[in-house]
Amino acid sequence: MEERLVLQADRQESLEQHLKRIPGLSRRQISRLKFLAGGLRVNGSSVRATHPLQPGDQISLYLHETACRQPVPYAILYEDQLLLVVDKPAGLVVHPSPGHETDSMQTVLETALSHPLYLKGRLDKDTSGVLVFGKADWVPSVTRTDKLYLALCRGNPGSCTIDQPLALQDRKMVPAPEGFSARTHVRPIRSVPEGTMISVRIEHGRMHQIRAHLASIGHPLLQDPLYGEPGSQGRAMLHCVTCRLVHPLTKQTLVISSRLPEDFLQATGVSLPVT
């Protein structure tokens, strides 16, 4: 069974001219569609790229083959023809890696949906919350996102911006002048039994950026076994609560949120999710 992207023409022009106006759709991908049997359809009929369009014509582009869809084991926060946004539980690896070739979230989702997915940004294994996938390979590169994290840290860092380059050293990211640029914006929200709940926005999105930056100023995340509390049996208290993204096709702004998981709520000492 085919899965296709359906669009509507808004002006008189050739189909190829219309395709070139789709953000992120490369010349190579357009060429592949042109030479693929049934790759391009207008009003249900296969056509050539030179086909003249009229306003209101229905355009259908081949995306991929898909078999019978199986149940997805994660909560779906948003889905359409181009995007899949899921609620990531803590403790799961996002993409295939050594030792996690078959049990990563991406592999499990691709098996359930029976078609490939393309990750837009990653979350650490211990981090929970909003996770975005594209359903076509060009989608992640043209999808702008702005993520808001909630975290629980030791002490109270106050409102601050941590601007320290980070480099990998013995499995940890550490401040280093020769490292990769990284900037983290922190704002306290409320006191919690063992520290402070903070909201965090990041620039650059380096590996372990939030965990490493907060540890570097003496306010590691609660239960973080790598950066603050060796031997902890919990997980670093970090949750991607909201993702604001610009849809790659419609250019509409979507705001997608995730409820705080139970272990996070227990650590805050409150009974309701924070929004």
Side-chain angles (χ1 to χ4, degrees), residues 40-271:
L40 303 174
R41 293 178 185 166
V42 174
N43 299 328
S45 299
S46 294
V47 297
R48 299 173 66 87
T50 55
H51 181 87
L53 295 175
Q54 298 297 322
D57 281 349
Q58 187 181 73
I59 304 163
S60 173
L61 310 180
Y62 175 85
L63 286 176
H64 45 243
E65 292 293 324
T66 181
C68 182
R69 176 168 173 151
Q70 302 298 315
V72 172
Y74 316 115
I76 296 176
L77 302 175
Y78 178 85
E79 184 177 13
D80 63 16
Q81 289 180 300
L82 289 180
L83 294 171
L84 175 69
V85 185
V86 297
D87 200 355
K88 178 190 177 299
L92 295 180
V93 172
V94 168
H95 54 77
S97 58
H100 296 281
E101 290 82 0
T102 61
D103 64 350
S104 72
M105 288 189 67
Q106 183 169 351
T107 301
V108 170
L109 285 166
E110 289 178 336
T111 299
L113 301 179
S114 73
H115 64 71
L117 293 171
Y118 305 90
L119 188 62
K120 171 61 180 179
R122 63 184 295 275
L123 297 178
D124 293 341
K125 178 181 177 181
D126 274 357
T127 305
S128 53
V130 183
L131 184 64
V132 181
F133 291 92
K135 291 186 176 182
D137 57 0
W138 52 272
V139 169
S141 64
V142 295
T143 306
R144 300 194 301 276
T145 61
D146 176 26
K147 295 178 180 179
L148 174 67
Y149 294 83
L150 291 183
L152 305 179
C153 69
R154 291 286 176 195
N156 187 340
S159 294
C160 63
T161 294
I162 309 167
D163 191 352
Q164 295 180 331
L166 295 172
L168 183 63
Q169 184 180 103
D170 297 328
R171 294 179 55 244
K172 296 173 63 175
M173 296 296 279
V174 297
E178 72 280 7
F180 296 103
S181 299
R183 189 175 296 115
T184 301
H185 306 283
V186 178
R187 182 175 65 86
I189 295 177
R190 64 163 63 131
S191 295
V192 297
E194 298 185 63
T196 305
M197 177 188 288
I198 56 176
S199 68
V200 185
R201 295 186 186 276
I202 60 174
E203 299 178 36
H204 308 98
R206 307 303 181 191
M207 183 180 83
H208 297 178
Q209 179 174 327
I210 295 172
R211 299 164 66 189
H213 267 172
L214 284 165
S216 75
I217 62 170
H219 297 282
L221 297 187
L222 298 185
Q223 301 181 181
D224 190 338
L226 186 60
Y227 289 91
E229 300 182 10
S232 172
Q233 298 302 306
R235 58 103 172 188
M237 288 286 102
L238 182 61
H239 181 74
C240 182
V241 68
T242 301
C243 180
R244 182 186 300 270
L245 61 88
V246 178
H247 194 281
L249 194 64
T250 67
K251 298 306 174 186
Q252 291 183 322
T253 297
L254 304 175
V255 180
I256 302 168
S257 297
S258 163
R259 299 173 73 87
L260 291 177
E262 187 61 34
D263 63 341
F264 201 104
L265 286 172
Q266 289 177 353
T268 66
V270 301
S271 57

Side-chain angles (χ1 to χ4, degrees), residues 1-61:
M1 181 172 64
E2 292 181 347
E3 190 156 336
R4 307 182 69 87
L5 174 63
V6 178
L7 311 168
Q8 190 172 62
D10 59 356
R11 66 184 71 175
Q12 289 184 331
E13 61 185 348
S14 72
L15 176 55
E16 186 162 24
Q17 288 173 321
H18 184 90
L19 295 179
K20 288 179 178 178
R21 292 195 292 109
I22 298 177
L25 198 59
S26 68
R27 290 178 179 271
R28 182 168 173 267
Q29 290 160 330
I30 293 173
S31 178
R32 181 175 65 88
L33 289 169
K34 289 196 301 188
F35 293 102
L36 182 69
L40 303 174
R41 293 178 185 166
V42 174
N43 299 328
S45 299
S46 294
V47 297
R48 299 173 66 87
T50 55
H51 181 87
L53 295 175
Q54 298 297 322
D57 281 349
Q58 187 181 73
I59 304 163
S60 173
L61 310 180

